[in-house]
Amino acid sequence: MSKDMNLTLKVWRQKDQASNGKMETYQAKKVSPDMSFLEMLDVVNEDLIQKGQDPIAFDSDCREGICGTCSMVVNGVPHGPQRGTTVCQLHMRHFKDGDTIAIEPWRARPFPVLKDLITNRSALDRIIQAGGYISVSTGNAPAANALPISKKASDEAMDAAACIGCGACVAACKNASAMLFVSAKVGHLGLLPQGQPERDKRVWKMISQMDKEGFGNCTNTYACESVCPKRVSASFIARLNRDYAVAVAKGECDR
Amino acid sequence: MNLIKAIFLSSVGRKYIMALTGAAMSAFVFVHLLGNLQIFLGADALNKYAVLLHSNFAILWGYRLGLGTIALVHIVVALSLWLENRAARPVKYVVNKQPYTDFASKMMVCGGVAIFFFVIWHIVDLTCGLTRPDVVNQTAMLGDKQVADVYHIVIKGIGHPVAGICYLIATCCLALHLWHGLESIFQSLGLRNKTYALYIKVVTKAAVLFLFAGMCLIPLVCMLGILK
Ligand code: HEM
Ligand code: SF4
Ligand code: FES
């Protein structure tokens, strides 16, 4: 059994979307290195509730790194110091006894803070609604190998499909750009045969919606791929840029 | 109309513009350096090259206006992107460390603005000769013709310690801008994937180091009196 830790937390507290927030300091005592980051916050919250105070509000759902709900910036890094992991899968063994940990919500104009660490990320949903789908005639499920897909294309599509829509890429980017997210969605469908009929329309619609939401513009810093818990590669952004050029060249913007 | 919007007003379209104008200016900068390195071939070689550059009025002014327009578009689009990027994060992080973002990419706007002021002074000083007429009005004989003595104009103009240091600082800014920028061109235009990424990185960084070395060398040899 490794030793328990005592930590100082500085957490962004904000009553609601209309209020101003500020950093508040809390002590997290007897934190086990085996706890996840969110379990550590659960313990702090139980303590706050017992004292009759408002617990720290944060988003979480699956707590196994697959849903994309958890979202907090730990010491300036979205999802914390461990690369390729969501904050729900970040364990306290990555911290030392006596550490001070700053915890903040995602920061971007399209992600307004609703309360404490919870932001409204429906801007990402609207981008998906704009074009992140394929249209299929319903009916019986087609035979498994009716559509041949090369191993290379299916592997690459899977790498893009790994995106869980958490928004950490936006939170990390100095420009609050959503390009990694959009490129993952566009790349995932654009690599597969089912995605071809709507390929040009999809790129055009999704980029237009992304711009409308007020995200910043990509300047190729690649901070996004470094914080992405699913390690989506920024080479999908190059692919997106290429697809957009093709879509515009084919006159998609006038359709 | 929609086409104009798709290219000049969209986020991705403006990245193409940045990349294409940046690439054109980079091409100019490399050619400019190679031309200037002829200073090591002696006075006649450089003076002859200068005569060649000024020999065709239409080409000279076509290139000047073309490059000027390209630079203007690069700057205007850069500033529009920059303003939007700042507006996209109205509340900053308390721990504002911009993780995994390298120094060169953080300096693009500051460095770009520094390059802009340098280029203005460079043109006013050496091309127009407004600030130091005594330096710029030197002539020399090339065969039986009297021509501008560009060789000595450069040595005297850039060899002045204050001027030379400005050239060195500007070279640092330019090299830093292109350290991020040259590699970025391929990403912005969609000409990068996992197979090419490493090659693009190595070749562009090597090109920038060559540019940096070459552009530092000229003011240094002029200032240290190695070329006279
Ligand atoms: C004169 C003032 C200048 C300003 C204000 C300026 C500003 C900028 C900005 C803001 C960017 C995009 C930043 C980013 O992607 O992170 C950029 C990109 C670039 N600039 Fe400049 N710049 C200037 C001059 C130059 C010059 C003289 C050159 C070349 C010799 C140049 C070459 C490039 C290149 C190659 C890129 C990369 C394009 C891309 O991202 O695809 N710039 N510049
Ligand atoms: S690309 Fe990565 S960081 Fe961005 S939303 Fe998807 S999983 Fe999250
Ligand atoms: S809570 Fe589902 S990914 Fe973290």
Side-chain angles (χ1 to χ4, degrees):
Chain A
M1 265 285 292
S2 22
K3 245 180 79 225
D4 287 355
M5 301 178 278
N6 292 320
L7 304 164
T8 305
L9 307 183
K10 298 203 184 273
V11 186
W12 183 262
R13 300 305 306 265
Q14 180 172 338
K15 194 160 148 279
D16 52 33
Q17 198 174 331
S19 315
N20 289 325
K22 66 174 194 311
M23 297 297 263
E24 300 269 6
T25 306
Y26 301 93
Q27 300 302 325
K29 299 225 164 71
K30 292 215 187 117
V31 174
S32 154
D34 301 326
M35 282 179 178
S36 76
F37 200 83
L38 302 191
E39 284 167 339
M40 181 274 294
L41 286 178
D42 289 338
V43 172
V44 171
N45 273 347
E46 274 178 31
D47 192 41
L48 288 177
I49 292 168
Q50 288 206 333
K51 286 194 214 146
Q53 293 174 18
D54 197 17
I56 300 163
F58 61 87
D59 259 334
S60 79
D61 188 7
C62 71
R63 298 209 176 188
E64 55 183 8
I66 56 167
C67 74
T69 309
C70 58
S71 45
M72 50 188 86
V73 175
V74 179
N75 288 337
V77 184
H79 289 307
Q82 171 80 354
R83 289 174 84 160
T85 29
T86 52
V87 72
C88 62
Q89 289 285 294
L90 173 68
H91 286 83
M92 295 313 292
R93 58 176 172 268
H94 298 291
F95 299 89
K96 292 193 309 289
D97 187 34
D99 274 359
T100 298
I101 306 175
I103 311 174
E104 299 175 72
W106 283 179
R107 291 291 187 202
R109 190 171 52 160
F111 292 165
V113 174
L114 298 178
K115 185 173 165 58
D116 300 343
L117 303 173
I118 299 180
T119 53
N120 180 350
R121 285 169 283 172
S122 35
L124 297 184
D125 300 336
R126 288 190 292 274
I127 295 175
I128 295 289
Q129 283 157 10
Y133 51 78
I134 56 166
S135 304
V136 288
S137 326
T138 52
N140 286 338
N145 289 326
L147 266 180
I149 301 172
S150 76
K151 172 89 169 84
K152 187 171 174 290
S154 84
D155 282 354
E156 225 186 319
M158 197 57 213
D159 289 344
C163 167
I164 52 177
C166 63
C169 41
V170 178
C173 175
K174 76 181 176 66
N175 312 312
S177 160
M179 285 288 274
L180 191 64
F181 167 78
V182 176
S183 75
K185 301 305 172 193
V186 165
H188 155 212
L189 297 174
L191 277 156
L192 298 174
Q194 294 92 331
Q196 298 314 309
E198 287 152 312
R199 184 167 170 179
D200 296 331
K201 184 175 131 198
R202 175 180 311 115
V203 181
W204 170 250
K205 288 263 171 86
M206 290 179 82
I207 292 288
S208 303
Q209 187 63 35
M210 176 187 87
D211 288 352
K212 233 182 264 164
E213 297 288 349
F215 290 101
N217 307 290
C218 177
T219 64
N220 310 338
T221 69
Y222 309 146
C224 50
E225 68 173 12
S226 299
V227 299
C228 173
K230 297 298 144 187
R231 295 280 178 99
V232 172
S233 162
S235 54
F236 283 110
I237 298 182
R239 195 171 195 282
L240 172 67
N241 290 340
R242 192 157 72 232
D243 277 4
Y244 183 83
V246 171
V248 169
K250 286 189 188 166
E252 196 53 56
C253 47
D254 269 330
R255 224 153 273 160
Chain B
M1 198 53 214
N2 285 341
L3 186 64
I4 308 276
K5 259 200 213 151
I7 297 171
F8 287 92
L9 297 180
S10 76
S11 54
V12 178
R14 278 178 292 168
K15 283 305 289 177
Y16 303 151
I17 297 179
M18 289 309 291
L20 292 173
T21 53
M25 286 193 288
S26 304
F28 163 76
V29 163
F30 278 94
V31 173
H32 191 45
L33 172 64
L34 291 178
N36 292 349
L37 283 175
Q38 294 180 64
I39 197 166
F40 293 104
L41 300 179
D44 282 0
L46 194 67
N47 291 349
K48 206 164 144 194
Y49 171 64
V51 170
L52 173 76
L53 288 184
H54 288 93
S55 57
N56 187 310
F57 181 83
I59 293 180
L60 180 67
W61 277 96
Y63 128 80
R64 281 179 176 171
L65 291 177
L67 196 63
T69 311
I70 285 171
L72 199 69
V73 170
H74 188 85
I75 295 169
V76 170
V77 174
L79 295 181
S80 79
L81 292 168
W82 178 64
L83 288 176
E84 285 176 18
N85 293 349
R86 279 171 33 123
R89 178 161 295 136
V91 183
K92 302 270 171 281
Y93 289 108
V94 175
V95 181
N96 194 7
K97 74 169 181 191
Q98 306 190 332
Y100 308 113
T101 304
D102 72 1
F103 180 66
S105 63
K106 288 180 192 165
M107 289 299 290
M108 289 305 274
V109 174
C110 285
V113 169
I115 297 168
F116 173 76
F117 285 113
F118 169 78
V119 170
I120 298 285
W121 171 68
H122 180 52
I123 292 173
V124 168
D125 184 44
L126 286 190
T127 311
C128 311
L130 295 179
T131 40
R132 294 183 287 173
D134 53 313
V135 170
V136 176
N137 289 336
Q138 306 178 72
T139 53
M141 296 308 290
L142 186 68
D144 50 5
K145 278 208 220 78
Q146 194 182 20
V147 298
D149 187 4
V150 173
Y151 181 80
H152 286 106
I153 293 174
V154 170
I155 288 176
K156 237 176 140 186
I158 297 176
H160 187 282
V162 177
I165 286 169
C166 287
Y167 276 85
L168 291 176
I169 294 173
T171 297
C172 293
C173 293
L174 181 65
L176 198 63
H177 199 80
L178 294 185
W179 187 258
H180 175 76
L182 276 197
E183 192 183 353
S184 226
I185 292 172
F186 295 86
Q187 173 81 356
S188 297
L189 295 177
L191 303 175
R192 179 177 169 274
N193 63 21
K194 278 185 180 160
T195 311
Y196 293 116
L198 185 65
Y199 296 99
I200 292 172
K201 191 184 204 94
V202 170
V203 171
T204 54
K205 301 298 194 233
V208 175
L209 290 178
F210 167 76
L211 184 85
F212 180 69
M215 284 204 160
C216 285
L217 194 60
I218 297 175
L220 285 177
V221 294
C222 294
M223 280 197 293
L224 298 177
I226 296 172
L227 289 184
K228 291 204 181 65

